[in-house]
Amino acid sequence: MARPCIQLVSAIVCLVAVTGSISAQQMEHFRMEKVNDHVYAFIGSDPTLDWVDGNSYAILTDDGVFVVDSHQPPMVAEANIAEIRKLTNLPITYLLNTHWHGDHNTGNFVYKREFPDIQIISHNKTREILARRMPEWVNNARNGEYAAYIIEYEKILSDGKGPTGRALNATDSLRANKLLALLRKYDADVRRDTALIPNVTFDSKLVLHMGSTEIQIRHDCRANTPGDAYVWLPQDSVLITGDILVHPIPYPFGSFFDEWVAQLDTMLSL
């Protein structure tokens, strides 16, 4: 019997998809891709920059919208919400934070502001870490953290030397200029940040039935972080991996490499 085709949606895995319109403020750095009739992905255009913002996903159901991850700058979360509103009149009822890295959850407050009844979900370990660390991130952003990065990269470009003292080549200069433009764009925006941690947690598996759509939220073991969550849509054969699987390289700090391999094997078996 032929195996069903699995559409794998990771940090920037390319899909055979239809590119949709997107808000002008987000256009330069993200694109919206249609995975199927009710799953959409907001994909970063350049994952190789030194400043990274995770992807986001919207699952449209008969009972509302389920969103995976909320980005970092508020304007990006707002742009995603604007696009989702073009697709459906139903509210966003659930938001999942796949793990604790700030580029996947700092935009939580934007979703709560726009949809006061939203439930924000994470693994219990992720919530524990966010409760400890998110207030510090938000305080740093509101007090000029990005402005300090701007000064740092302006000096790098002015001196023509990287942090290690090596002369910049053409590729280095291009990357630094792209990053500097991004930091300037987001500096004032992130000063609006507000800490908001998940209010619903789970241990190993949480299943939601939203109309005819079954959404499985899973945590099998520690991988990229202690509390990695991923989403499996069995009726669609769509897997949303968070940062358990990314391209071109993973972001492994505080990771669990032996368990990570086992987690990938479990995903592959789906």
Side-chain angles (χ1 to χ4, degrees), residues 227-239:
D228 293 310
Y230 66 96
V231 174
W232 172 240
L233 305 177
Q235 65 280 334
D236 298 298
S237 289
V238 170
L239 177 66

Side-chain angles (χ1 to χ4, degrees), residues 1 57 77 83 91 199 267:
M1 188 171 78
Y57 310 90
E83 290 302 308
N199 66 309
M267 287 180 162

Side-chain angles (χ1 to χ4, degrees), residues 52-148:
V52 178
D53 191 11
N55 295 334
S56 180
Y57 310 90
I59 303 167
L60 279 55
T61 80
D62 301 330
D63 289 345
V65 182
F66 183 100
V67 168
V68 181
D69 287 333
S70 63
H71 291 287
Q72 189 158 345
M75 69 166 62
V76 179
E78 289 164 350
N80 285 10
I81 291 170
E83 290 302 308
I84 292 168
R85 281 177 164 149
K86 295 176 186 177
L87 300 170
T88 178
N89 293 323
L90 293 175
I92 299 173
T93 52
Y94 293 99
L95 168 64
L96 171 68
N97 293 158
T98 57
H99 59 294
W100 68 264
H101 296 166
D103 57 312
H104 295 260
N105 48 62
T106 313
N108 286 356
F109 80 95
V110 176
Y111 283 85
K112 183 68 173 178
R113 184 192 68 203
E114 297 299 315
F115 303 96
D117 294 329
I118 196 170
Q119 303 296 306
I120 304 177
I121 305 168
S122 76
H123 186 265
N124 50 44
K125 189 65 176 180
T126 295
R127 186 186 188 277
E128 175 189 320
I129 296 172
L130 287 175
R132 186 170 69 248
R133 302 195 65 170
M134 186 181 276
E136 179 184 356
W137 302 338
V138 166
N139 183 67
N140 290 342
R142 293 175 71 97
N143 286 283
E145 179 183 28
Y146 280 43

Side-chain angles (χ1 to χ4, degrees), residues 137-196:
W137 302 338
V138 166
N139 183 67
N140 290 342
R142 293 175 71 97
N143 286 283
E145 179 183 28
Y146 280 43
Y149 292 146
I150 289 169
I151 294 171
E152 177 183 344
Y153 275 87
E154 286 176 339
K155 186 176 190 307
I156 286 172
L157 286 166
S158 174
D159 295 345
K161 295 180 181 179
T164 64
R166 181 177 63 85
L168 301 181
N169 59 32
T171 301
D172 296 332
S173 296
L174 178 63
R175 284 168 54 84
N177 274 295
K178 288 176 67 175
L179 181 57
L180 185 58
L182 197 66
L183 292 169
R184 287 170 174 162
K185 176 180 178 180
Y186 290 144
D187 177 32
D189 189 52
V190 298
R191 295 173 191 258
R192 298 189 286 148
D193 281 354
T194 301
L196 182 64

Side-chain angles (χ1 to χ4, degrees), residues 25-79:
Q25 63 186 172
Q26 191 183 355
M27 179 78 76
E28 184 180 357
H29 303 292
F30 280 85
R31 67 185 185 277
M32 186 176 76
E33 292 188 354
K34 182 179 179 181
V35 179
N36 61 27
D37 287 343
H38 57 275
V39 180
Y40 293 81
F42 297 89
I43 306 295
S45 58
D46 187 353
T48 69
L49 290 178
D50 296 330
W51 187 95
V52 178
D53 191 11
N55 295 334
S56 180
Y57 310 90
I59 303 167
L60 279 55
T61 80
D62 301 330
D63 289 345
V65 182
F66 183 100
V67 168
V68 181
D69 287 333
S70 63
H71 291 287
Q72 189 158 345
M75 69 166 62
V76 179
E78 289 164 350

